[in-house]
Amino acid sequence: MEALQWFCLGIISMLTINVMVYAHMVVKLKWYAIPLLLVGILDILFGIAWCGSSFIEGYAQSGALGLSVFAGSGLLMVIVTWRHLVAPGFKPA
């Protein structure tokens, strides 16, 4: 079960890397947009890994807290960065 968790985290990591490369190729990002997105994504992945391992070990309360604190703050960081720094660069077709 734990191997499936790490496999899924690897897939999510590669998908986010592809999205970041695509965004960097399409939009001319400011120098501080990529580190903000990267920190937010790593925070989300850490929260998911914390949650999964806590649920596997039987500590559901720790998993829920890790998911809400780490993944929630990372999601908030990614959303704010995307809306204010990345999305204005996309031009409607």
Side-chain angles (χ1 to χ4, degrees):
M1 187 68 177
E2 196 169 336
L4 178 65
Q5 172 192 358
W6 294 113
F7 179 72
C8 291
L9 282 173
I11 290 173
I12 293 170
S13 299
M14 291 310 298
L15 288 174
T16 55
I17 288 171
N18 287 335
V19 167
M20 287 182 61
V21 167
Y22 176 75
H24 185 64
M25 289 174 59
V26 171
V27 179
K28 181 65 177 155
L29 298 176
K30 296 186 172 136
W31 67 270
Y32 50 85
I34 292 177
L36 285 172
L37 287 173
L38 186 64
V39 168
I41 289 169
L42 289 176
D43 202 14
I44 291 170
L45 292 175
F46 180 74
I48 292 171
W50 181 302
C51 177
S53 63
S54 294
F55 282 143
I56 289 172
E57 292 174 359
Y59 298 107
Q61 188 174 6
S62 173
L65 184 67
L67 187 66
S68 63
V69 169
F70 293 116
S73 65
L75 185 64
L76 184 66
M77 184 182 301
V78 168
I79 288 172
V80 168
T81 304
W82 189 272
R83 288 193 65 170
H84 293 287
L85 298 175
V86 179
F90 284 107
K91 293 187 176 27

